[in-house]
Amino acid sequence: MTDRPTLPFGAFEAVDRALDILDLLAEPVAAALKSWDAPEAARSVLYVDGDPEHADTAAFSAAYDVPLEVSANCVVVAAKRGGQTTLAACLALAATRVDVNSTVRKRLGARKASFAPMDTAVGATGMEYGGITPIGLPADWPLLIDAAVAATPFVLIGSGRRRGKLILPGRALAQLPGAEVLEGLAV
């Protein structure tokens, strides 16, 4: 019998190790957890169930007593240069915003960068809007993580679906494929 994981924050009825409930996750997220080349990081990921009606950060925070300081949002950015578009993901704490027009644009070597349209983000990730997460993104995407996220002891992120969220150490996010931790990504 395995012991139940302990939650670092929040008021949830149940918590499970994400590796034990892969069928509740979006397919790309489940596949990424199973094949993550950092097995200790993969084992550290917890899953908490949540009402899809409360999937947006502020509503989730209020409904489940999760401080915004430990919630991180993953946004998909489209960077354009010379007729080419590069998609990337950015992860920042919920109380901040990603500096798309300066930091992201410069880091991706783009003339213009903006948030990707919802249908592009959903289609390219295979995840639900409101649940997009850095775990399971396309392998060729840059993943830019604000340094404050990586420094947070435990962070709440999407699960790939609007139902449920993942909790894991911030430092584990820096071990994701394509991840780059940047100071000043978020303001």
Side-chain angles (χ1 to χ4, degrees), residues 8-9 19 34 37 39 54 67 70 104-105 107 137 148 155-156 170:
F9 51 74
L19 286 170
K34 287 191 298 190
D37 63 0
H54 295 116
V70 298
V104 173
R105 183 182 58 75
R107 173 59 193 87
L137 293 170
V155 180
L156 179 104

Side-chain angles (χ1 to χ4, degrees), residues 24-153:
L24 297 179
L25 305 174
E27 189 281 323
V29 178
L33 283 170
K34 287 191 298 190
S35 65
W36 197 351
D37 63 0
E40 184 177 315
R43 282 191 300 276
S44 74
V45 180
L46 304 177
Y47 174 84
V48 292
D49 194 22
D51 183 340
E53 294 299 315
H54 295 116
D56 295 331
T57 305
F60 194 91
S61 180
Y64 299 102
D65 195 27
V66 175
L68 287 178
E69 301 80 43
V70 298
S71 297
N73 292 324
C74 185
V75 296
V76 177
V77 174
K80 298 177 182 180
R81 180 176 187 91
Q84 297 284 74
T85 300
T86 300
L87 295 177
C90 300
L91 190 64
L93 293 175
T96 65
R97 63 178 178 77
V98 173
D99 182 10
V100 174
N101 292 320
S102 183
T103 305
V104 173
R105 183 182 58 75
K106 289 176 186 173
R107 173 59 193 87
L108 297 177
R111 288 198 186 280
K112 180 182 178 189
S114 59
F115 295 109
M118 179 176 59
D119 58 336
T120 299
V122 169
T125 63
M127 300 178 202
E128 295 176 3
Y129 193 75
I132 293 176
T133 186
I135 299 171
L137 293 170
D140 60 339
W141 283 21
L143 170 58
L144 308 179
I145 301 173
D146 187 67
V149 174
T152 302

